[in-house]
Amino acid sequence: MNSVEGLLTQIRGLSSTASDVLSLQNVLKQADESLHAKSTRLLPFLDQLDPSKHSLGYLYFLEACTAGPVTTESASSFVLIIARFISSCVAEQIRLAPDKFISVCKRFKDQVLLLEEPLRGVAPMLTAVRKLQSSTEHLTTLHPEFLLLCLLAKCYKTGLSILEEDIFEVDQPRDLYLYCYYGGMICIGQKCFRKALELLHNVVTAPMSTINAIAVEAYKKYILVSLIHHGQLSTSLPKYASGVAQRNLKSLCLSYMELANSYNNGKIADLETYVQANMEKFGSDNNLGLVKQVVSSIYKRNIQRLTQTYLTLSLQDIANTVQLNSPKEAEMHVLQMIQDGEIYATINQKDGMVRFVEDPELYKTCEMIEHIDLSIQRLMTLSNKLTVMDELISCDPLYLGKAGRERQRFDFDDFDSVPQRFNI
């Protein structure tokens, strides 16, 4: 083990300055194969390194140590070691070996799941994401891993913390699919249906050359959330969705498309019958809870339709039209919808009448003006980002080469002559 001792000496001597760390990186790359060959005997040597000072060297040793199969007994000690490393490592050093760091973090996730304690992995994985990111606009491979742990631990609010950030830089397409899919599920757990729709929509419309399981599962949830949030489903995907998605997604989600058709008819009995007949299918997809929310939401949608026809209606009439059991149940639904801002109405308790009114928002309060101003600033920032990205793409050699090959060739006769008034 003299070679390992010599490597430890080099790690301790070449971890102080940026130039030393770059030299150390070359040394570690050359020693990587021999470290993996001795992986079962490296664990005691970690105590001779300080993860807060020798982060790069510690990472190489730790990655080699965790490369082999891990038992439940050893997983507990490895989880503590990796969590300590993630917490104390220097971001600038671990970014020199991102693949190693990602590998260690993924094994950390596997080990907390092996211990059936996903909650233990949430905080360290969030720290890992922040240290690996070059900026908050950068989507790393660890984002989906963090969101998965949040889902399994039911830490939805913690997951929302990174979903609020705008992403402009993606390492791998699969990372984006999983990030949006898991993010959509977290938003569903928090009843943030609008944000969930946005994320699931990104999965469904993302570029793809072949259909993938993530997009299919995302489209199933997209259908259900659309019915819950909007009370309807657009039957066609937008033009910018890939041809593969437009041709295949509907046929792969027939049960959900038929559910949407039954929902649009507005007949509660028919919808409940269809759900009951397909209970096993929805359960096997882990979507039964969402389907039940769809059934519950149809009462709200039918009440909303009444606001488009009537100005005043009794609670008894609402109960009869919407197929509720009693006026009291109708009152509870109307009150909840008023509280959620889904309708604007007043209830006269004396005669049991409901009066539907217009949106009272006049859009001239200080809060509303501030909200509009923030929205405008965000749109301006986004516009500037798109301009920069467009300029970068227009200068990209790969894009120019592809555009040049696909560009149609025209003869001069194909163009209209310049109008006389524009002649110089």
Side-chain angles (χ1 to χ4, degrees):
M1 302 297 285
N2 291 334
S3 59
V4 177
E5 292 286 359
L7 185 58
L8 287 171
T9 302
Q10 287 184 295
I11 291 171
R12 288 192 289 265
L14 295 173
S15 297
S16 53
T17 66
S19 58
D20 284 347
V21 172
L22 289 175
S23 302
L24 176 62
Q25 184 184 16
N26 295 326
V27 173
L28 290 169
K29 283 181 179 179
Q30 294 171 8
D32 191 38
E33 190 174 337
S34 64
L35 285 175
H36 277 79
K38 303 168 184 172
S39 60
T40 56
R41 293 171 287 173
L42 292 179
L43 191 58
F45 291 98
L46 288 177
D47 293 333
Q48 300 182 39
L49 296 174
D50 183 346
S52 63
K53 296 178 182 177
H54 316 123
S55 301
L56 186 60
Y58 197 102
L59 175 59
Y60 268 80
F61 270 72
L62 186 57
E63 193 273 334
C65 285
T66 56
V70 177
T71 63
T72 307
E73 292 74 21
S74 60
S76 185
S77 60
F78 271 125
V79 163
L80 290 172
I81 293 169
I82 297 173
R84 175 172 167 257
F85 170 70
I86 291 172
S87 174
S88 56
C89 69
V90 179
E92 289 74 19
Q93 289 194 31
I94 60 98
R95 286 178 193 161
L96 294 173
D99 292 341
K100 296 280 183 189
F101 187 68
I102 289 168
S103 178
V104 167
C105 291
K106 284 188 174 183
R107 289 167 193 166
F108 171 73
K109 180 220 45 177
D110 293 338
Q111 288 161 14
V112 294
L113 294 184
L114 180 65
L115 296 171
E116 298 181 354
E117 298 177 358
L119 184 59
R120 288 181 66 182
V122 171
M125 192 63 80
L126 178 57
T127 303
V129 167
R130 295 306 185 200
K131 291 194 174 183
L132 187 61
Q133 274 184 310
S134 55
S135 73
T136 55
E137 298 174 353
H138 175 209
L139 179 69
T140 71
T141 304
L142 296 182
H143 275 77
E145 308 293 339
F146 166 69
L147 292 176
L148 177 59
L149 288 175
C150 289
L151 272 173
L152 296 174
K154 293 184 170 57
C155 292
Y156 302 138
K157 287 186 178 180
T158 309
L160 284 175
S161 64
I162 66 168
L163 293 173
E164 294 168 354
E165 298 165 357
D166 293 322
I167 298 295
F168 293 98
E169 185 183 342
V170 180
D171 289 340
Q172 298 292 333
R174 186 173 180 274
D175 298 337
L176 179 65
Y177 290 135
L178 288 173
Y179 168 80
C180 292
Y181 179 64
Y182 291 148
M185 292 175 70
I186 283 174
C187 291
I188 290 169
Q190 283 293 97
K191 307 286 186 184
C192 301
F193 293 124
R194 183 176 178 180
K195 182 67 175 178
L197 275 177
E198 177 189 325
L199 290 165
L200 294 171
H201 180 270
N202 289 343
V203 182
V204 172
T205 59
M208 62 183 84
S209 54
T210 56
I211 205 71
N212 62 74
I214 304 170
V216 173
E217 294 306 311
Y219 191 54
K220 291 174 183 178
K221 286 181 170 58
Y222 179 80
I223 292 170
L224 298 175
V225 178
S226 291
L227 296 176
I228 294 168
H229 186 62
H230 292 309
Q232 59 183 1
L233 172 72
S234 176
T235 55
S236 60
L237 291 173
K239 290 182 179 180
Y240 51 81
S242 67
V244 171
Q246 297 196 30
R247 288 191 300 270
N248 297 294
L249 279 180
K250 290 181 186 176
S251 61
L252 293 170
C253 304
L254 278 178
S255 299
Y256 294 83
M257 296 301 296
E258 290 171 5
L259 176 72
N261 292 334
S262 179
Y263 185 97
N264 289 334
N265 292 334
K267 296 180 180 178
I268 297 168
D270 292 347
L271 180 63
E272 289 177 337
T273 301
Y274 181 81
V275 169
Q276 196 64 37
N278 293 272
M279 189 82 74
E280 188 175 341
K281 165 66 177 171
F282 296 134
S284 64
D285 289 342
N286 294 317
N287 286 328
L288 190 55
L290 268 180
V291 170
K292 289 179 179 178
Q293 290 185 61
V294 168
V295 174
S296 298
S297 72
I298 196 170
Y299 294 103
K300 292 183 178 182
R301 298 311 159 205
N302 287 342
I303 292 173
Q304 281 183 326
R305 291 188 183 107
L306 294 177
T307 66
Q308 299 169 9
T309 308
Y310 301 96
L311 289 175
T312 307
L313 205 59
S314 70
L315 288 169
Q316 182 65 61
D317 288 338
I318 292 175
N320 294 338
T321 307
V322 181
Q323 302 173 47
L324 291 168
N325 295 325
S326 65
K328 187 66 178 175
E329 195 173 342
E331 182 181 4
M332 296 304 295
H333 273 85
V334 171
L335 285 172
Q336 186 62 51
M337 293 177 72
I338 292 171
Q339 183 178 332
D340 294 341
E342 295 175 322
I343 61 171
Y344 303 99
T346 57
I347 301 176
N348 189 323
Q349 298 284 354
K350 187 180 292 185
D351 54 14
M353 298 297 291
V354 179
R355 181 170 176 266
F356 300 113
V357 297
E358 296 293 327
D359 183 356
E361 178 60 65
L362 299 176
Y363 298 96
K364 61 181 184 181
T365 62
C366 293
E367 292 80 4
M368 181 55 66
I369 292 170
E370 184 179 353
H371 173 72
I372 293 172
D373 184 55
L374 288 172
S375 297
I376 291 172
Q377 289 181 33
R378 188 168 181 270
L379 286 171
M380 290 172 65
T381 302
L382 179 60
S383 176
N384 293 334
K385 283 278 183 186
L386 288 172
T387 302
V388 172
M389 292 173 69
D390 183 59
E391 290 173 354
L392 290 172
I393 291 173
S394 64
C395 299
D396 187 278
L398 291 175
Y399 169 77
L400 291 173
K402 184 175 176 61
R405 289 193 300 273
E406 294 181 354
R407 184 184 300 152
Q408 271 187 307
R409 286 174 167 75
F410 296 99
D411 293 322
F412 285 111
D413 295 337
D414 292 329
F415 295 95
D416 294 331
S417 58
V418 178
Q420 185 67 34
R421 62 194 178 95
F422 290 121
N423 286 345
I424 298 175

